[in-house]
Amino acid sequence: MELNARNQMFAAILGGVVSGARAKEGATRSELIRHCWIMADQALYFADNLETEQQVATRWIEKGFVIVDTETTGLGTDAEIVEISIVDCAGNILLDTLVKPSKSIPAEATAIHGITDEMVVDAPSWDGVLPHVVELTRKGWVAYNASFDARMLRQSGGDFALHEDIRSPECVMQLYANYNGEWDVRRRKCRWKRLVDAAAALKVDAGDGAPHRSLYDCNLTLGVILAIANGGAK
């Protein structure tokens, strides 16, 4: 029977562990087997990560990637952007604007980010903001939980997804998860953390503002990137 990659990795690790020092430390057979499965999962998880997390963060900075954060009317497939901010890795604010959605902002969304219909009544529509977003993200961009922001950019309208010169984002949440290294045995990957928790662990100070406003979250995300690039405390 042909073994899949996980089983092959497990078998290779088990052989080394059984014949090595760990087998002499009094570990039970079941403990050794679980340990080997975890090591196999970790080896496969990191197999394609040719850069260290510090190298990734440094590359983003050196390549001039920008940080994007959005606030929205919700989480679903019909949600729209109500605020977007973009900063560069030097902390310069490139875009910071409310956005008027096509429908009313639900109360449950306002309860999270504090943005009301009254606040966006004179804000530009997404069509008015989109050209700036396209231009600013052209060289590359990152976000914390990047798949969410990318989806919001696509579904807010204006054919964002059709701009072929816009790269797919890289994810700061994933970078921090790998850097932090807390292993989730059940999911077989490093555990994701909330932005505020990652920032707190790295002693990031974003200055004035509050979480769940796009500029503040951009600054928190930038702080996480800079801390990882500098090898900050985990």
Side-chain angles (χ1 to χ4, degrees), residues 60 66-71 141-150 169-178 180 191-202 217-225 228:
W60 291 347
V66 297
I67 298 102
V68 177
D69 189 82
T70 62
E71 302 301 330
W141 62 287
V142 302
Y144 206 89
N145 192 9
S147 62
F148 174 79
D149 291 284
E170 296 191 47
C171 186
V172 184
M173 183 170 70
Q174 186 65 65
L175 183 75
Y176 177 74
N178 294 350
N180 184 50
R191 195 179 303 277
W192 291 345
K193 298 291 185 178
R194 297 186 307 159
L195 174 57
V196 291
D197 295 333
L202 293 171
D217 286 353
C218 273
N219 287 329
L220 272 188
T221 302
L222 173 58
V224 169
I225 295 170
I228 292 174

Side-chain angles (χ1 to χ4, degrees), residues 71-75 79-83 98-99 101 103-120 210-213:
E71 302 301 330
T72 67
T73 60
L75 304 177
E80 299 177 55
I81 292 171
V82 297
E83 186 177 50
L98 293 167
V99 180
K103 54 182 177 293
S104 181
I105 303 172
E108 55 268 28
T110 297
I112 295 172
H113 50 54
I115 300 171
T116 65
D117 287 334
E118 291 74 21
M119 292 169 63
V120 300
H212 302 301
R213 291 301 299 267

